[in-house]
Amino acid sequence: MVSLNQLIAVCLIYVAGLFLVAFLAERAALRGRGGWLLRSPLVYTLSLSIYCTAWTFYGAVGYAARSGLEYVTIYLGPSLVMIGWWWVLRRLVRIGRAQRVTSVADLISARFGKSNLLAVMITIMAVVGVTPYIALQLQSVTLSVSIFATPETGSGTAPQISDNAAFWVAAGLAVFTVLFGTRNLNANERHHGIVIAVAVEAVVKLLALMAVGAFVVWGISGGVSETVARIDASPIGTWQTSASRWTALIVVSAAAFVCLPRMFQVMVVENDDERHLQIASWAFPLYLLAISLFVVPIAVVGLELMPAGANPDLFVLTVPLSQGQSGLAMLAFLGGFSSATSMVIVATLALSTMMSNHIVMPLWLKLNPPAAQQSGDVRDVVIRARRLSILLIITLGYFYYRASGGSGALAAIGLISFGGVAQFLPALLGGIFWRGATRMGAVAGLSVGFVIWMYTMLLPSFGPGAALSAAVFEEGLFGWGMLRPQALFGITGLDPTVHAIWWSLSINAILFFVVSIFSFPTPLERLQGAQFVNVFDHSSGPARGWIASEGGAEDLMIMSQRILGAEEAQAFFNAQAAQQGRRNAPPVPTPEFVQALERELAASVGAATANAMIGQIIGGQAISVEDLMAVADESAQILEYSSRLEAKSRELTETAQELGFANEKLMQLSFQKDDFLSQISHELRTPMTSIRSFSEILRDIDVLSTAEKTRYATIIHSETIRLTRLLDDLLDLSVLENGQVSLNARQVQLHDVIERAVTTAQASSAHVLDIRRDLRTEDVMLITDADRLAQVFINLVTNAIKYCDADTPRLDIAVRREDSEVIIAFTDNGSGIPAEAQNLVFEKFARLNAAQGSGAGLGLAICREIVARLGGDIRYLSEGRGGRFEVRLSFTSSREENQRLLPV
Amino acid sequence: MAKHVVLVEDETNIAEAIRFLLGRDGWRVETLANGGNAAEVIRAARPDLVMLDVMLPGKTGFEILAELRGDATLADLPILMLTARGQSRDREMAERAGVSRFMTKPFSNEEMLSAVRELTEGRVI
């Protein structure tokens, strides 16, 4: 017979052994040895057996004894996931590695824009959800201890011992976990030692169960066929299977397999190599098969051998004991102990990581200014937070165990936990497969699903009158029948488990989906969503970076040392510096470097916290160019389209404007041309009218006198001359305007030019004009084109002759000098030009008083062009009575000017 | 009584040709070289026909036309417009203003004379 002391001694030796294994593995990993073992797919597969806890070890047999084959669903769920959904797991693992995810809360929070709210929610839910599970481990260990303490009864009900035992078991597990999980001050996410220890425990529990199973089959039943016969004869064969319960249980166990923090820890966080998953996908179901193989035989034999009322959850222990096989019972006890300890260690580690990363650290960051983060030892804070979290979680489990009375069937407690963590599934799967999923959707689905789970599953588990009053059970919350915890919305008749899982998961999923559709993701959410959903597209990862890089490498170094430890931080910085090609100098905080550092830190404190810490030092928002590019990429088409449209519209506007200008110009030109043609037409038609008319008279009328004939012929002649002059003027003006005129500049005496002009003008006119000149002032030598200048003067004199309306027309021609100019003024005593017409006087066809002239109105326009070509200007000045034209010419004796005008 | 025409034309040569041609047809031709007082002269003279140039000193032919057509007592007065501006919109403008006949210079003598006859046929005894 095994005494309690012996039992405790064996346990301590076993634990010490595990410590040794873990320690050796850790040391080997540190020295880079034993890689073949540490990174073996076998170890990975065995570590997954963390799924099989004391519930599996003890509870499955109890489950089979109570409900027949239904216990298989608990194995079918994970097996289906591993075989059928291994690509989902592969995605999870890839994302977990790419984003340096530390927990399921970290993953979901990172996916939805590094939301701390989500992380806190999931952490709290996980703690609440897993608490019954930890209680279950306490209960099973306590029960198993009590068996050895009171072996005679075999019933496992020894309250006074079990109460004490439960406390000591809890305390022991807490110490064990703290020592195991936080012994190493390196708060990194990988725990090689623990993984190895878990693998060893997986072997121990499998061997123990198989040994008991073999004993039952061959030692008691006498062979396989006899066992089968016993099974057929037992009540287990007659249990009815309920399709709805089976479906619900398979779904919830599959969901729990993915979502349970401890499963996530070993499957994703501790994963070394994605290929291990491929092997585990068939190896782990095999393990599950092996561990479940003897469940039914043990249950059947136990039901036969053990007295009625014996706890079927303890058949694994009590059957060997009843047969006097205390050694085998001891092995079975160790197997159960293994199952419980490995689960508690990994689960509390995973939960404590979540608590410290998502609750304690953000709070601490908020309460401490950035300076304190660099001076204080962040690593200490992290480790302390984790240790406290471990104690808190195990304490919670202990209290749950006490509150639930320690009497519930193991399987029922396990299912409550499964239901709780299964609530993560919609957000988790939606997050990694659907870019449209938003944080709002995740928060809505998770919170409502979790509340329903609490109300329909967790709280009722304490029994009527404990957490929920009996009245609530009978009449619903607030007396509202729709809200009866086990018959929501008035739907009765469902199995409570199916009911709770169905309502919580379906409403969770629907809310997640609907709210996601009707809410908009933040930019960071979009980016993270793109990175998660498209993890296989860019898992090698173009560098994401920080926009602002004001933070010095030193500040980053100090902070990193606090978190990673001095050596590791040093090593990381050196490696980064080497990568940047810098020796004996800190690395430049390039976006790539800061990004790498963020990931490194995220591995220790979680993505949201690392992001916040670096953000405080760098002082920028963690949206990188690549992030922005990704956003742009998502809406690239829209952006491109809109920018194309914009460019097009800008182009069109410009073109329209240009066209408008061009059109206006053309219109102006067109008007000018029409006007000009109209004028020319008029000027040509007028003399032609006379010519035609008189030539017809000469042709048609025979009775004309000689005098008449001569007169009419003379008119025709003069009108043809007028026409010719008009054409000459037009051509002259055209040439002058085009600048094609060639000047014949030479030295001339101004007096000679004026003399010539006056003579010519007077000779061609019948009218008399009194012209007055001061000959002395005219003695000026100019270098100019004498013919052109004379043309201007002739025009001015002729105009005076034609248009001066004084009774005794007079014209003063005065020459004066001003600085380097000579000014020739032509002043008549007529009425001058009306003020409103003065600025038109030099325009083409600006004939003001057609009555007295036969000119086409081109004369002054020509004059203006000529004077401009000669380098001077002509203007009309109104001086009271009389018209006054002034011609200003540059009178320069300077050589340059002479050179310019004189032909070489 | 000789038929009376008022000719408003600033081109002396053209005016002489018209005067010669209409004189042979028995017209008494009164020539105005300035548009300024043409309307008053015409209103006072009550001629059988008015011949109007367009480009005139003083007032344009269109202004004179508008003045004449604005006088109800001269509603039957035939007005023949002669212009060297060859644009169709001048013709349209003149026709809207109530011109009796619009001719573009240069014209043939025969054309001008028959227009005058057509405009005054039956009106002059």
Side-chain angles (χ1 to χ4, degrees):
Chain A
M1 196 63 244
V2 184
S3 74
L4 197 60
N5 287 341
Q6 278 178 309
L7 197 68
I8 291 168
V10 168
C11 283
L12 287 179
I13 291 168
Y14 176 72
V15 169
L18 279 184
F19 258 120
L20 189 66
V21 169
F23 174 74
L24 289 177
E26 206 98 326
R27 207 178 56 172
L30 216 63
R31 293 185 183 168
R33 285 191 315 203
W36 61 270
L37 184 62
L38 297 178
R39 290 186 190 85
S40 134
L42 182 69
V43 169
Y44 181 70
T45 306
L46 287 175
S47 74
L48 288 182
S49 76
I50 194 90
Y51 179 77
C52 307
T53 64
W55 172 18
T56 313
F57 197 82
Y58 297 120
V61 173
Y63 202 153
R66 290 187 190 94
S67 315
L69 277 178
E70 201 176 275
Y71 80 94
V72 173
T73 54
I74 305 304
Y75 299 110
L76 275 180
S79 298
L80 288 178
V81 169
M82 285 309 280
I83 295 164
W85 267 23
W86 78 273
W87 48 277
V88 174
L89 301 179
R90 191 172 75 111
R91 180 173 280 256
L92 272 181
V93 168
R94 175 72 66 91
I95 291 170
R97 292 166 63 85
Q99 301 275 327
R100 300 298 290 267
V101 160
T102 59
S103 66
V104 64
D106 196 22
L107 181 113
I108 293 178
S109 107
R111 160 60 179 87
F112 295 104
K114 305 189 180 176
S115 155
N116 216 51
L117 170 72
L118 264 178
V120 170
M121 275 177 63
I122 290 170
T123 303
I124 292 172
M125 289 178 194
V127 170
V128 173
V130 172
T131 295
Y133 218 134
I134 288 173
L136 184 143
Q137 310 304 316
L138 290 178
Q139 185 176 343
S140 62
V141 173
T142 309
L143 279 175
S144 61
V145 170
S146 70
I147 289 294
F148 285 91
T150 55
E152 306 81 36
T153 63
S155 64
T157 47
Q160 76 283 7
I161 295 178
S162 93
D163 273 2
N164 287 337
F167 176 78
W168 287 113
V169 168
L173 281 175
V175 172
F176 190 44
T177 309
V178 167
L179 288 178
F180 241 115
T182 61
R183 174 183 53 92
N184 196 334
L185 278 187
N186 204 344
N188 241 336
E189 88 278 33
R190 297 272 169 87
H191 308 80
H192 290 295
I194 288 177
V195 170
I196 287 287
V198 165
V200 169
E201 294 199 291
V203 174
V204 169
K205 65 193 175 196
L206 181 63
L207 286 180
L209 202 60
M210 291 187 80
V212 174
F215 169 71
V216 165
V217 172
W218 285 282
I220 299 176
S221 297
V224 176
S225 51
E226 286 83 354
T227 309
V228 172
R230 278 176 183 234
I231 294 170
D232 284 342
S234 78
I236 288 178
T238 64
W239 283 104
Q240 292 294 313
T241 57
S242 146
S244 68
R245 251 186 90 81
W246 274 61
T247 311
L249 291 177
I250 288 176
V251 166
V252 81
S253 58
F257 181 70
V258 179
C259 299
L260 273 170
R262 69 170 193 279
M263 290 315 300
F264 193 87
Q265 179 77 27
V266 291
M267 191 156 55
V268 177
V269 181
E270 307 281 358
N271 177 281
D272 253 323
D273 191 331
E274 269 175 39
R275 286 169 299 181
H276 291 175
L277 201 59
Q278 241 164 313
I279 290 167
S281 72
W282 55 263
F284 183 63
L286 275 184
Y287 182 93
L288 290 180
L289 180 68
I291 210 165
S292 62
L293 202 56
F294 294 105
V295 167
V296 172
I298 296 171
V300 169
V301 171
L303 281 175
E304 260 181 48
L305 290 182
M306 301 311 291
N311 189 346
D313 285 335
L314 293 172
F315 281 173
V316 177
L317 280 179
T318 51
V319 168
L321 275 179
S322 71
Q323 301 298 309
Q325 297 286 335
S326 55
L328 187 59
M330 193 68 197
L331 182 62
F333 173 81
L334 270 186
F337 186 70
S338 277
S339 311
T341 50
S342 55
M343 180 274 168
V344 171
I345 291 168
V346 179
T348 47
L349 263 186
L351 287 175
S352 71
T353 303
M354 284 158 73
M355 282 179 75
S356 74
N357 284 356
H358 302 308
I359 297 176
V360 180
M361 288 309 292
L363 274 177
W364 187 83
L365 270 177
K366 216 166 248 173
L367 296 175
N368 288 280
Q373 291 162 34
Q374 286 164 50
S375 56
D377 197 330
V378 178
R379 232 162 23 122
D380 253 11
V381 178
V382 173
I383 297 289
R384 228 173 289 147
R386 286 194 185 174
R387 285 177 179 162
L388 279 174
S389 305
I390 289 168
L391 291 179
L392 179 77
I393 292 158
I394 291 180
T395 308
L396 275 177
Y398 175 71
F399 280 116
Y400 181 91
Y401 164 71
R402 297 298 299 267
S404 66
S407 56
L410 296 181
I413 300 177
L415 279 178
I416 293 169
S417 267
F418 276 22
V421 295
Q423 303 305 323
F424 304 157
L425 193 70
L428 187 68
L429 289 187
I432 64 173
F433 282 108
W434 181 37
R435 289 176 74 163
T438 70
R439 190 179 52 151
M440 298 285 289
V443 169
L446 273 171
S447 50
V448 173
F450 198 72
V451 166
I452 294 175
W453 166 79
M454 293 237 307
Y455 187 65
T456 59
M457 218 169 175
L458 180 68
L459 298 182
S461 75
F462 295 103
L468 297 173
S469 72
V472 170
F473 272 92
E474 289 304 312
E475 292 155 26
L477 199 60
F478 316 122
W480 202 17
M482 296 283 277
L483 292 180
R484 268 182 292 163
Q486 295 186 336
L488 276 186
F489 310 114
I491 294 173
T492 55
L494 278 179
D495 176 271
T497 308
V498 176
H499 170 267
I501 287 164
W502 158 253
W503 280 120
S504 60
L505 265 185
S506 59
I507 293 180
N508 176 342
I510 288 168
L511 270 178
F512 171 65
F513 182 71
V514 171
V515 175
S516 285
I517 283 181
F518 288 104
S519 60
F520 288 97
T522 63
L524 196 56
E525 267 182 87
R526 279 171 181 277
L527 301 170
Q528 290 292 96
Q531 293 220 339
F532 275 52
V533 175
N534 304 330
V535 66
F536 290 109
D537 298 343
H538 44 70
S539 51
S540 59
R544 281 175 64 249
W546 292 71
I547 287 173
S549 289
E550 290 160 14
E554 264 176 47
D555 290 346
L556 290 173
M557 178 73 186
I558 293 167
M559 184 189 68
S560 309
Q561 281 180 338
R562 304 287 173 219
I563 297 169
L564 302 172
E567 279 177 35
E568 203 163 307
Q570 200 72 52
F572 176 77
F573 272 64
N574 285 343
Q576 289 288 322
Q579 236 176 48
Q580 292 181 1
R582 291 162 66 91
R583 280 181 170 278
N584 302 323
V588 181
T590 60
E592 291 77 19
F593 165 71
V594 179
Q595 180 58 32
L597 181 62
E598 186 191 346
R599 286 194 184 168
E600 200 66 27
L601 295 179
S604 285
V605 294
T609 306
N611 191 269
M613 290 180 113
I614 291 207
Q616 273 176 329
I617 289 184
I618 298 285
Q621 178 57 44
I623 294 180
S624 67
V625 173
E626 196 259 337
D627 288 342
L628 295 174
M629 293 291 282
V631 169
D633 187 40
E634 200 176 53
S635 51
Q637 276 194 324
I638 300 168
L639 279 177
E640 198 196 316
Y641 185 62
S642 105
S643 78
R644 267 213 312 262
L645 269 183
E646 232 169 80
K648 256 277 162 356
S649 115
R650 210 168 31 239
E651 239 171 67
L652 279 175
T653 313
E654 276 167 21
T655 310
Q657 218 164 29
E658 278 167 28
L659 275 176
F661 288 143
N663 194 37
E664 213 169 287
K665 209 169 169 181
L666 277 176
M667 294 270 276
Q668 255 173 14
L669 278 174
S670 170
F671 283 141
Q672 280 176 6
K673 187 204 73 181
D674 281 356
D675 215 38
F676 184 67
L677 282 178
S678 170
Q679 299 273 16
I680 294 215
S681 149
H682 184 264
E683 297 309 319
L684 290 173
R685 281 169 190 272
T686 301
M688 268 155 65
T689 307
S690 305
I691 293 169
R692 181 167 180 185
S693 199
F694 283 112
S695 55
E696 279 180 12
I697 289 171
L698 286 174
R699 183 192 64 193
D700 300 334
I701 300 171
D702 310 321
V703 295
L704 294 173
S705 66
T706 315
E708 277 173 330
K709 278 182 188 163
T710 313
R711 173 162 174 75
Y712 298 158
T714 309
I715 290 175
I716 291 171
H717 178 249
S718 74
E719 291 287 14
T720 53
I721 288 173
R722 181 177 164 191
L723 266 179
T724 311
R725 197 170 64 236
L726 175 68
L727 291 174
D728 284 346
D729 281 357
L730 276 173
L731 286 175
D732 204 14
L733 190 63
S734 155
V735 166
L736 282 165
E737 279 184 337
N738 286 337
Q740 293 166 334
V741 66
S742 54
L743 292 175
N744 179 21
R746 60 190 160 80
Q747 202 161 44
V748 292
Q749 176 56 258
L750 180 60
H751 169 80
D752 294 346
V753 181
I754 296 175
E755 187 66 41
R756 191 170 122 199
V758 167
T759 314
T760 312
Q762 279 181 318
S764 61
S765 173
H767 299 273
V768 193
L769 183 69
D770 177 15
I771 294 175
R772 300 186 182 180
R773 298 160 60 191
D774 185 348
L775 297 182
R776 284 166 304 155
T777 60
E778 290 176 7
D779 182 19
V780 177
M781 289 305 288
L782 285 172
I783 294 168
T784 191
D785 186 317
D787 294 337
R788 284 298 187 180
L789 190 56
Q791 192 183 345
V792 173
F793 292 167
I794 290 169
N795 215 298
L796 291 174
V797 175
T798 311
N799 278 353
I801 294 171
K802 274 189 198 163
Y803 303 123
C804 183
D805 49 4
D807 293 335
T808 48
R810 194 183 77 223
L811 179 69
D812 285 309
I813 300 176
V815 178
R816 70 176 195 277
R817 296 188 199 182
E818 252 177 38
D819 300 330
S820 59
E821 284 178 330
V822 59
I823 298 155
I824 308 105
F826 297 78
T827 314
D828 65 41
N829 61 346
S831 57
I833 297 169
E836 70 270 14
Q838 282 175 13
N839 55 349
L840 285 175
V841 79
F842 294 105
E843 297 305 318
K844 284 173 280 203
F845 303 112
R847 220 161 34 149
L848 301 165
N849 196 345
Q852 290 157 313
S854 56
L858 290 174
L860 285 176
I862 290 173
C863 287
R864 184 181 58 179
E865 291 298 324
I866 291 174
V867 176
R869 297 281 164 254
L870 293 178
D873 76 273
I874 180 169
R875 58 185 79 169
Y876 177 79
L877 298 168
S878 171
E879 285 193 347
R881 265 192 76 78
R884 178 182 172 98
F885 285 91
E886 276 191 5
V887 177
R888 284 168 174 263
L889 289 171
S890 163
F891 158 69
T892 173
S893 52
S894 81
R895 271 182 185 282
E896 294 153 40
E897 197 66 12
N898 295 353
Q899 294 290 310
R900 189 177 70 80
L901 286 166
L902 275 173
V904 183
Chain B
M1 189 170 149
K3 295 167 285 185
H4 181 202
V5 59
V6 174
L7 169 65
V8 190
E9 173 62 79
D10 63 325
E11 282 287 335
T12 51
N13 290 339
I14 297 174
E16 185 175 344
I18 292 172
R19 204 161 46 235
F20 173 79
L21 290 166
L22 290 183
R24 274 172 48 88
D25 245 19
W27 284 84
R28 180 164 66 83
V29 181
E30 182 180 355
T31 306
L32 299 175
N34 192 297
N37 61 345
E40 288 88 73
V41 172
I42 292 164
R43 224 174 283 148
R46 306 245 145 215
D48 301 295
L49 175 70
V50 170
M51 294 177 83
L52 266 181
D53 185 20
V54 173
M55 303 284 278
L56 290 163
K59 273 180 188 160
T60 69
F62 285 113
E63 286 169 322
I64 299 165
L65 175 64
E67 266 182 72
L68 294 179
R69 284 300 178 227
D71 187 339
T73 64
L74 298 173
D76 293 336
L77 175 65
I79 300 173
L80 172 60
M81 213 167 202
L82 300 163
T83 181
R85 304 211 319 175
Q87 277 141 323
S88 55
R89 69 162 183 269
D90 284 344
R91 175 185 293 277
E92 288 159 19
M93 209 155 77
E95 278 166 2
R96 268 203 305 279
V99 78
S100 311
R101 185 64 71 93
F102 188 92
M103 289 183 78
T104 307
K105 298 173 186 173
F107 46 82
S108 81
N109 292 345
E110 196 43 51
E111 203 181 353
M112 188 269 289
L113 287 171
S114 58
V116 167
R117 282 180 203 124
E118 274 167 37
L119 286 173
T120 54
E121 206 114 286
R123 287 172 40 82
V124 182
I125 299 116

